[in-house]
Every structure is written in structure tokens, then in C-alpha cells.
Amino acid sequence: MEKRNYPLIYLFLLPSIVMFLVFYLVPIITVFTTSFTEWNGFNSPEFVGMGNYIRLFANKAFLYSLRNLLLWSLIAMTLHVGFGVLVAFILFRKPKGWKFTRAVFMVPNVISTAAWALIYKFIFNNDMGILNNLIRKVNPDFNVQWFYNSPYAFWAVTFTWLFFAVIVTLIVLNDLMAIPEEVNEAAKVDGATALQVAFKIHLPLCRNSIGTAMILSITSRVAMYETIVLTTAGGPGDDTMNLPLILVNSIMNLKHGYANSIGVIMFIIGLATLFIINKSFRMNESVY
């Protein structure tokens, strides 16, 4: 490309660069700098050093949030992503009714997170919920308030997202469909079974999409707010407490500096997730 075209390229990039600086970089810098201050959002921030972080790590709710996040992340990167990958491999074989199944699988993701949380609140309701009424067909004495009793609340929240992995499915399915047909034909010529092709050829070739799905799934757990606030509000006790809930509560109490220290922790967790999975799945390397 001739150098004389560079000014035009920079001109087209300018709006995106300005938007990135104004709406991303400046807020990120503000969050980091004000996390070291005592700030109520109205008066000028007062520098307190590591005070917010010391208070944060001394807060039991924060430690419980990290524990819950770790458990949810492990579930997300194994069961949640695993289920989405399994569905993708099944749909890739195009069984009878696969298009209808793909469309139905999309439905929960069309509904907003808040609406889906309220739907599940009724599903898990002890008196009129579908789940408990089905269980009482076998055990008439069964009575559990799923979102309000420990340890059931943690698993009730988990089930609101665990099996709705359509984003994972679509990403991996797209990767499967991009595999050159020559690769499949060569495997058939060599006498590979369908199972061998799936595990030894297709699965390794989909490592980038699976890694991407893991990043999306884990970071979604880091930012999970609506589902918890509309079902358990972090309870019972601290069974479903998480970082966004503490952050929002801190803002409501005009503790913006403290809230931003939580934002910094969430930002670091997101970057660490990106780095670890990127390295583990060798996502910067070509798969072919």
C-alpha cells in the first residue's frame, strides 16, 4: 500500500480512536486513579492510598464473592462451555430437525437477563413452581425455597444460565463449518471413525472458538448482576454474593472510591482470564 494513502486511513480511523479515548480509556484511567481516593461522587476525591483495597480485602462479603466467582468460573468453563460445544457438534452432523432445535435453543438468549431471572424465580417457587410440584409427585413432603435457603440458592442461580449456552454453540458451530472438506475426506480415506474425527481432528481445530467461548463465559460471571439482584440479592447470607452487587451497593452509599477499587479488581480478573486462556489454548497460533 502506498504511503500517500495513510492520511486517508488515519482519517477514517479517527472517529473510532476518539470514541475509544472518550468512552473507554478515560473512564478506565479515572476508575484506576479514583480507586485510591475517598470520593462520594460530588466533592473532590481525597487521596487515601491503599485504604480502599485494605478495607476491601478485610470485607468478608468480598472474600465470599471471590469464592463464588471461582466456583462459577470453574462451572462455566467446564459444564457451561462443554454443553455448548456438545450441542454444536451434534448440530454440525445435521440430524433430523437440527434447524428447529437451533432456533429453539436461541429463545432463552432473545429474552432479557432480567426477564429470564424472574421466569426462573417462578420456576423455583416452592408453592407454585413447576420444579417443586414435579418433585412432590415423587416426594409429597418436599419443600425447598430454592432462592432463599442455603446451599440451594447458589445452585438455583447457577441453573439460570448453565444450560443456555447458545453463544458458545454458535461460535463453535461456525468454526466447525469453516473446516475444509478436504480434511474430513482425508480422515475418511485413512479409515477414521466419526468419533475419532470429532475428538482428534474437529475438537483440536476448534480450540480458538472454544477458548473464546470460555473467555466470554467467565467474564459474564464476573459481570453477573441482574440475575442475582432479582433472585437472591446476594443471600442467603453471602451464598450468592458477587462483585457487581458490592460495587453497586457502594455507589448507592456514595462510596465511589471504594466502588472503583472493586471495578479495578474486576478489570484485573478479566485481563487475567484473557491472558491465561489465550496462552492455554495457544489462540495466537494458526490451527492449520
Side-chain angles (χ1 to χ4, degrees), residues 112-169:
S112 70
T113 304
W116 197 245
L118 292 175
I119 290 171
Y120 257 87
K121 199 167 184 179
F122 283 103
I123 291 174
F124 282 105
N125 185 277
N126 184 51
D127 298 317
M128 56 183 172
I130 297 172
L131 180 62
N132 281 12
N133 279 302
L134 286 174
I135 295 174
R136 279 195 279 267
K137 297 289 185 181
V138 180
N139 182 5
D141 298 323
F142 185 83
N143 285 285
V144 170
Q145 291 284 6
W146 291 91
F147 285 116
Y148 306 106
N149 293 138
S150 179
Y152 305 107
F154 178 89
W155 294 107
V157 169
T158 302
F159 277 112
T160 62
W161 54 263
L162 183 60
F163 295 111
F164 301 102
V166 68
I167 302 300
V168 177
T169 297

Side-chain angles (χ1 to χ4, degrees), residues 6-27:
Y6 284 178
L8 289 175
I9 294 173
Y10 294 143
L11 183 64
F12 278 107
L13 288 175
L14 186 61
S16 298
I17 294 171
V18 171
M19 289 183 66
F20 173 79
L21 292 174
V22 174
F23 295 106
Y24 287 92
L25 186 60
V26 172

Side-chain angles (χ1 to χ4, degrees), residues 66 69 218-219 222 243 264-274:
L66 291 181
L69 176 58
I218 293 172
T219 51
V222 176
L243 298 177
V264 170
I265 297 296
M266 292 171 64
F267 184 82
I268 292 172
I269 291 173
L271 284 181
T273 300
L274 183 63

Side-chain angles (χ1 to χ4, degrees), residues 29-225:
I29 293 172
T30 302
V31 167
F32 271 82
T33 54
T34 55
S35 69
F36 298 100
T37 66
E38 190 75 34
W39 183 36
N40 61 10
F42 298 100
N43 300 328
S44 298
E46 296 180 9
F47 183 74
V48 293
M50 297 296 293
N52 287 327
Y53 292 96
I54 293 171
R55 286 165 50 207
L56 189 61
F57 280 91
N59 186 349
K60 289 185 177 180
F62 172 73
L63 298 178
Y64 281 123
S65 297
L66 291 181
R67 178 204 65 184
N68 292 337
L69 176 58
L70 177 61
L71 291 174
W72 275 323
S73 297
L74 290 173
I75 293 169
M77 67 188 294
T78 53
L79 298 179
H80 179 71
V81 173
F83 181 71
V85 171
L86 177 63
V87 174
F89 271 73
I90 293 173
L91 293 180
F92 178 65
R93 296 185 64 82
K94 298 181 180 180
K96 186 177 181 180
W98 73 278
K99 289 185 178 180
F100 175 76
T101 303
R102 183 180 60 182
V104 171
F105 199 42
M106 280 288 296
V107 171
N109 290 270
V110 175
I111 302 172
S112 70
T113 304
W116 197 245
L118 292 175
I119 290 171
Y120 257 87
K121 199 167 184 179
F122 283 103
I123 291 174
F124 282 105
N125 185 277
N126 184 51
D127 298 317
M128 56 183 172
I130 297 172
L131 180 62
N132 281 12
N133 279 302
L134 286 174
I135 295 174
R136 279 195 279 267
K137 297 289 185 181
V138 180
N139 182 5
D141 298 323
F142 185 83
N143 285 285
V144 170
Q145 291 284 6
W146 291 91
F147 285 116
Y148 306 106
N149 293 138
S150 179
Y152 305 107
F154 178 89
W155 294 107
V157 169
T158 302
F159 277 112
T160 62
W161 54 263
L162 183 60
F163 295 111
F164 301 102
V166 68
I167 302 300
V168 177
T169 297
L170 292 179
I171 293 173
V172 176
L173 184 59
N174 181 68
D175 221 10
L176 285 170
M177 291 182 171
I179 295 174
E181 190 58 36
E182 293 82 359
V183 174
N184 296 324
E185 291 175 358
K188 289 178 182 177
V189 170
D190 290 339
T193 64
L195 204 59
Q196 288 173 328
V197 171
F199 279 96
K200 295 185 178 181
I201 298 176
H202 290 170
L203 199 59
L205 290 177
C206 289
R207 71 166 189 269
N208 282 344
S209 58
I210 295 173
T212 301
M214 284 191 178
I215 291 171
L216 292 174
S217 185
I218 293 172
T219 51
S220 293
R221 307 290 73 80
V222 176
M224 186 167 57
Y225 175 72

Side-chain angles (χ1 to χ4, degrees), residues 241-255:
M241 183 60 66
N242 77 335
L243 298 177
L245 198 60
I246 302 175
L247 187 150
V248 172
N249 289 340
S250 299
I251 292 174
M252 298 297 289
N253 292 326
L254 301 181
K255 297 178 180 178

Side-chain angles (χ1 to χ4, degrees), residues 64 68 72 147 153 157 227-242 245:
Y64 281 123
N68 292 337
W72 275 323
F147 285 116
V157 169
T227 300
I228 292 178
V229 78
L230 291 172
T231 53
T232 67
D238 292 310
D239 277 18
T240 59
M241 183 60 66
N242 77 335
L245 198 60

